[in-house]
Amino acid sequence: MRVSNVTVRKRLTIALLVGILIFFIIDLRLGYVQFFLGDMLTGKAKDSWSRNIPFEPERGEIVDRNGVPLATNISAPTVYVVPRQIKDPATAAEKLAATLNMSKETAYKEITKVASIVRLKEGRKISHEKAKEIRALGIEGVYIGEDSKRHYPFGDYLSHVLGFAGIDNQGLMGLELYYDKELNGEEGSVQFYADAKGKRMNDMADDYQPPVDGMDLKLTIDSKIQTIMERELDIAEAKYNPDGLVAIAMNPNTGEILGMSSRPDFNPTNFQEVPPEVYNRNLPVWSTYEPGSTFKIITLAAALEEGKVDLEKDHFHDPGFVKVGGAKIHCWKSGGHGSQTFLEVVQNSCNPGFIELGDRLGKETLFKYIKNFGFGQKTGIDLQGEGKGILFNLDRVGPVELATTSFGQGVSVTPIQQVAAISAAVNGGTLYTPYIAKELINPVTDEVMMKTSPVAKRKVISEETSKEIRHALETVVAQGSGKNAFVDGYRVGGKTGTAQKVKDGKYMENNYIVSFIGFAPADDPELVVYVAVDNPKGTIQFGGVVAAPIVGNIMGDSLRAMGVEPRKGQIEKETTWLDTPMVEVPNVVGLSKREIQEIMVNLKIDASGQGDIVVKQTPQAGVKLKEGSTIRLYFSDKPEE
C-alpha cells in the first residue's frame, strides 16, 4: 500500500515534536539536577567518601567563687583506625599491640572490622608520649584524634560535691552530673575523604569543624574555707576514728554554701577504687538522723516568737527528769540542773526545760514552726540525692512525742536542713534556699550565661526574736555547754547536739552522733558552720566535747580568711580549772628590753632585729592569747617613724 507524502510529512512532524519534547524533558531534568539538586547530591557523595575523626570539646571547668580551679581537663589523645586503609593488617596489629599493651589477636580483630572508622579501646585517652610512639610507627590508616580527660587538681578535696565524669567526659555524679548538659559542649571533627576502597583522596582538602567547649561553672564555695574545713576533718578522723564526719559552712544571709565536706571521701579520678555507697552518698544532703539538742533552737524560736517565755525572768526547776504521759524522761545531767532561768536552760541544754517550752506551745504550734523552718521537706539545694527527713504525723503526736520532739528526739533531719533552719533563726528570720552553683560562664567571651540569686522562701520569725536567739546562743558558747567553740575576739554563738543512733527501731548503746552548729559574728552573722561526728571513739561522746572545738577552729580561721574584723562587746568566757588562762597582749612599742621584762611575765618573746627599743610587735596590743603563748618583737636603736 502506497503512503501519501502528506502522511509521511505528518509522521515526521510528530516524530520530530516527540523528539523535541523528550529532549526538552531531559534538559529540564538535567537543569533541575544541576542547579537545584547539585549541592545536595554533591554533599551526599562527599558524605559517602568522608571519614570523620572526632575532636572532643573541652568540658567546662569548675572553679570556686574566687576562680580557683577545682575540676579541669588535661589533654589525652585517642587512636582511630580506618580499616580499609591498612595495607598489611598483620604487621600493623603486631606494632599496635606492642605499643598499646594489647594482644595481637585483639588488635588484628579491631583493625579488620567492617567499618569506616574504628576507635581503639586500648588507645583511648593515652598520654602524649604514647601518641608520639604511635605516630612514629608510620602506619597508614592510623590516626590520632584530640581528646581530653577530667582532672581534679586537689584529689579528694570537695569530692562528693564535685562528683566525677566518665571515660566519655559525661557527668556521672555530683555537680558533674547535675550540670552535665551545660558543662559538656558540642563535639567537633576533622573530615577527610576516601574512595570506595578506603584510599585517601588527596585532591580533596580536609574539613575541620571545631568543637564548642562547655561552659565554666563558678561555685559559691570559698576554697580558703573549704581547705580549713578539710584540714579539721582530717584531724578529727585521725583523732576519733569515727564512722563518719559531716561539715557545712554557709552564708546565712544568702544561702550560699561556702564549704561542704564529709568522711569517708574519695578521689574522683579513681572513683572505681571505692565502694559505690561511698561516692553515691553526699552525707551533708543525703543522711538523715535525730538532730539532738541542735534542734532545741527551733523550739526556742517558736516559744520566743509566740511570747511563751521570758528568758531572763522566767524560771524553771529541773530535778533531773520529768514525767510525761506515764513515761519518765531524764535530763542528760544526773540529778538535774536545779532552779534556773530559761536562759540557763538554753545554756545548759536542759531537756526538761525544753519539754516545758514544748508543752507551753502545744503540738499544733510547735509543728507549724518546725515545718516553716523547712523540716520534713527538701531544701532545694542544687545537688542530687537530697533527703527529706522524717517528722511525726500530727494526728499521732501525743504528750510523749511532743516532749521528745521539743528537744530533738524522735524526728529525723538532714544536715543541710539544720544549717538552713538555724541560719533563718539567726539572720533576722528569713529562710533561704541553699545553693552551690553561682554562675555559668562562656569560656570564650567570659559572658555570664546564668547567675543564681538568693531565694528567700519565707519569713519564719521576727528580727526581734532572732536577736534574742543570737544573744542566748552567744551565752551558750561563752558560759554554757558550747565553751569549746569560743573564739577569742569573735562573738560566736552556737548549740551542741548529742543524739543516740537508731538501728532496727532501737537505740544503740554507746553510739552517738555528736554535733555543733555555730555562727559569727553573733551581732551580725556572716558565717554558719555545722559539724557532726558519727560515733567518735576513745572519748566522751558529747557534742560540746568533740564537735564544738572543731567548729571553733573552722570558725576562727574562716572568719580571718574572710577578712572579718574582731568585734567588741564579746561576752567573757566562763573558765574552769581545765582552761588555760587568757592574757591580753600589752602595748610594748617604744619600751626598752629592761622595761618589757617587768611586763611580759605570762607571754614568751620571739625577738628579732638589733637594738634595745621595741619598734613593732605581732600580734597588736589588745589581742588575747593563751597564757604562755609567744609574741614576736622587733628591736632597733631608732624608733620606727
Side-chain angles (χ1 to χ4, degrees):
M1 185 177 74
R2 186 178 178 186
V3 180
S4 68
N5 290 335
V6 174
T7 302
V8 171
R9 283 196 296 271
K10 285 182 178 180
R11 290 177 178 175
L12 289 173
T13 301
I14 292 170
L16 179 62
L17 291 173
V18 170
I20 292 171
L21 180 62
I22 290 172
F23 279 110
F24 177 75
I25 293 172
I26 291 172
D27 288 343
L28 190 65
R29 177 62 179 170
L30 287 173
Y32 177 71
V33 169
Q34 180 70 27
F35 297 109
F36 293 96
L37 299 181
D39 291 341
M40 181 196 70
L41 294 175
T42 301
K44 284 188 175 181
K46 290 181 73 175
D47 286 343
S48 68
W49 305 329
S50 67
R51 303 292 185 270
N52 287 344
I53 299 177
F55 267 56
E56 297 292 334
E58 284 282 310
R59 189 169 175 83
E61 290 192 347
I62 303 178
V63 301
D64 88 328
R65 66 188 302 115
N66 301 308
V68 176
L70 302 174
T72 61
N73 308 289
I74 55 175
S75 179
T78 292
V79 180
Y80 294 89
V81 174
V82 179
R84 289 187 177 183
Q85 293 181 5
I86 303 292
K87 294 180 179 178
D88 186 353
T91 302
E94 187 174 353
K95 290 181 178 180
L96 288 171
T99 308
L100 294 174
N101 297 319
M102 58 192 297
S103 70
K104 188 166 63 174
E105 292 75 15
T106 302
Y108 186 84
K109 183 179 178 181
E110 288 293 310
I111 68 175
T112 56
K113 279 183 176 180
V114 182
S116 60
I117 191 166
V118 174
R119 181 173 60 186
L120 295 184
K121 180 181 178 182
E122 290 78 1
R124 295 200 66 187
K125 301 182 186 293
I126 59 177
S127 67
H128 283 276
E129 290 75 15
K130 188 67 69 176
K132 189 176 180 180
E133 290 180 35
I134 295 293
R135 289 192 186 96
L137 297 175
I139 305 172
E140 188 175 345
V142 175
Y143 299 88
I144 303 296
E146 181 60 35
D147 205 345
S148 64
K149 61 182 178 182
R150 210 58 164 158
H151 176 58
Y152 301 93
F154 299 112
D156 52 10
Y157 185 96
L158 201 68
S159 55
H160 284 96
V161 173
L162 296 175
F164 49 82
I167 187 70
D168 292 314
N169 282 347
Q170 77 280 27
L172 297 177
M173 208 277 288
L175 289 170
E176 294 276 27
L177 175 59
Y178 198 94
Y179 290 97
D180 184 54
K181 183 179 178 182
E182 292 80 3
L183 291 167
N184 215 9
E186 297 177 14
E187 187 180 80
S189 66
V190 168
Q191 191 177 61
F192 68 90
Y193 298 95
D195 60 22
K197 293 183 179 180
K199 293 183 178 180
R200 188 157 182 165
M201 300 168 67
N202 294 321
D203 57 327
M204 298 187 68
D206 295 346
D207 290 334
Y208 175 60
Q209 179 66 40
V212 178
D213 293 341
M215 287 186 280
D216 291 339
L217 178 63
K218 178 181 281 190
L219 305 184
T220 60
I221 294 290
D222 188 325
S223 59
K224 292 177 287 187
I225 294 175
Q226 184 70 30
T227 299
I228 293 164
M229 183 179 288
E230 299 282 1
R231 179 199 72 198
E232 290 301 319
L233 292 196
D234 286 343
I235 293 171
E237 190 171 34
K239 185 175 182 180
Y240 298 117
N241 187 29
D243 295 344
L245 285 161
V246 167
I248 303 173
M250 191 173 93
N251 182 335
N253 305 305
T254 61
E256 290 179 301
I257 300 298
L258 302 175
M260 181 180 285
S261 188
S262 62
R263 299 290 186 276
D265 56 2
F266 65 98
N267 189 327
T269 303
N270 306 314
F271 69 91
Q272 304 95 331
E273 298 177 4
V274 298
E277 56 266 25
V278 172
Y279 61 71
N280 275 334
R281 298 172 179 175
N282 185 11
L283 298 181
V285 301
W286 176 84
S287 58
T288 58
Y289 47 82
E290 288 189 358
S293 295
T294 53
F295 198 75
K296 292 173 180 175
I297 299 173
I298 308 305
T299 305
L300 173 64
L304 288 171
E305 185 72 9
E306 293 294 319
K308 300 295 184 181
V309 66
D310 185 310
L311 296 180
E312 302 283 355
K313 296 178 180 178
D314 290 358
H315 283 70
F316 177 79
H317 181 78
D318 170 29
F321 66 90
V322 62
K323 290 184 178 180
V324 180
K328 196 174 185 179
I329 301 175
H330 291 271
C331 183
W332 64 268
K333 183 180 180 181
S334 179
H337 294 94
S339 181
Q340 52 192 334
T341 66
F342 270 94
L343 181 60
E344 291 172 323
V345 166
V346 178
Q347 293 171 3
N348 297 327
S349 196
C350 175
N351 288 349
F354 278 91
I355 291 172
E356 170 65 20
L357 293 181
D359 187 58
R360 292 183 185 184
L361 286 163
K363 68 177 185 178
E364 287 82 5
T365 302
L366 177 59
F367 273 78
K368 179 189 75 173
Y369 278 92
I370 289 172
K371 290 181 178 179
N372 282 346
F373 271 104
F375 294 104
Q377 56 199 285
K378 294 181 179 182
T379 65
I381 189 171
D382 48 343
L383 288 170
Q384 292 191 321
E386 184 182 4
K388 291 173 62 177
I390 303 171
L391 300 177
F392 287 117
N393 290 326
L394 196 58
D395 56 359
R396 294 188 176 183
V397 176
V400 174
E401 289 77 17
L402 173 61
T404 58
T405 300
S406 67
F407 62 85
Q409 191 178 82
V411 297
S412 178
V413 304
T414 66
I416 192 64
Q417 283 177 338
Q418 294 189 79
V419 172
I422 303 317
S423 293
V426 301
N427 70 9
T430 302
L431 181 69
Y432 285 95
T433 299
Y435 65 98
I436 204 162
K438 192 175 182 69
E439 295 174 350
L440 281 167
I441 303 169
N442 186 312
V444 177
T445 65
D446 287 332
E447 181 183 357
V448 176
M449 309 303 292
M450 181 277 287
K451 186 179 181 69
T452 306
S453 299
V455 176
K457 289 183 177 179
R458 54 187 167 270
K459 189 83 171 174
V460 286
I461 55 173
S462 66
E463 171 61 54
E464 185 57 38
T465 296
S466 180
K467 185 177 180 180
E468 284 192 75
I469 293 170
R470 293 196 298 268
H471 171 70
L473 297 182
E474 187 178 5
T475 68
V476 169
V477 172
Q479 301 169 347
S481 58
K483 291 176 187 175
N484 285 327
F486 188 87
V487 180
D488 191 71
Y490 290 97
R491 296 178 60 181
V492 178
K495 187 74 188 72
T496 57
T498 305
Q500 202 167 2
K501 288 166 65 177
V502 177
K503 185 177 181 181
D504 301 326
K506 296 181 179 179
Y507 285 106
M508 302 172 68
E509 291 293 329
N510 301 316
N511 198 329
Y512 295 84
I513 294 178
V514 297
S515 60
F516 189 87
I517 190 161
F519 60 93
D523 56 328
D524 185 17
E526 296 184 43
L527 180 67
V528 169
V529 176
Y530 174 82
V531 168
V533 185
D534 184 355
N535 191 26
K537 317 295 193 306
T539 184
I540 300 172
Q541 293 192 352
F542 284 145
V545 174
V546 177
I550 302 173
V551 171
N553 291 338
I554 294 173
M555 188 74 73
D557 287 349
S558 295
L559 290 169
R560 286 183 278 270
M562 294 166 64
V564 177
E565 295 293 330
R567 293 284 211 277
K568 293 183 178 180
Q570 184 179 33
I571 300 173
E572 284 291 329
K573 183 181 179 182
E574 199 175 87
T575 59
T576 68
W577 66 273
L578 292 171
D579 294 312
T580 303
M582 303 297 288
V583 178
E584 185 173 320
V585 176
N587 184 4
V588 295
V589 174
L591 300 183
S592 66
K593 288 182 178 179
R594 178 179 293 179
E595 289 172 322
I596 64 173
Q597 286 178 354
E598 299 174 3
I599 299 174
M600 308 294 283
V601 292
N602 296 320
L603 295 169
K604 297 176 183 177
I605 298 172
D606 179 14
S608 64
Q610 300 295 323
D612 188 58
I613 304 299
V614 179
V615 294
K616 186 179 178 182
Q617 69 178 68
T618 303
Q620 299 297 317
V623 174
K624 289 185 178 180
L625 300 176
K626 288 183 178 180
E627 189 176 275
S629 297
T630 301
I631 70 167
R632 189 170 183 81
L633 301 182
Y634 300 85
F635 290 88
S636 176
D637 286 326
K638 295 180 180 180
E640 199 171 68
E641 295 182 2

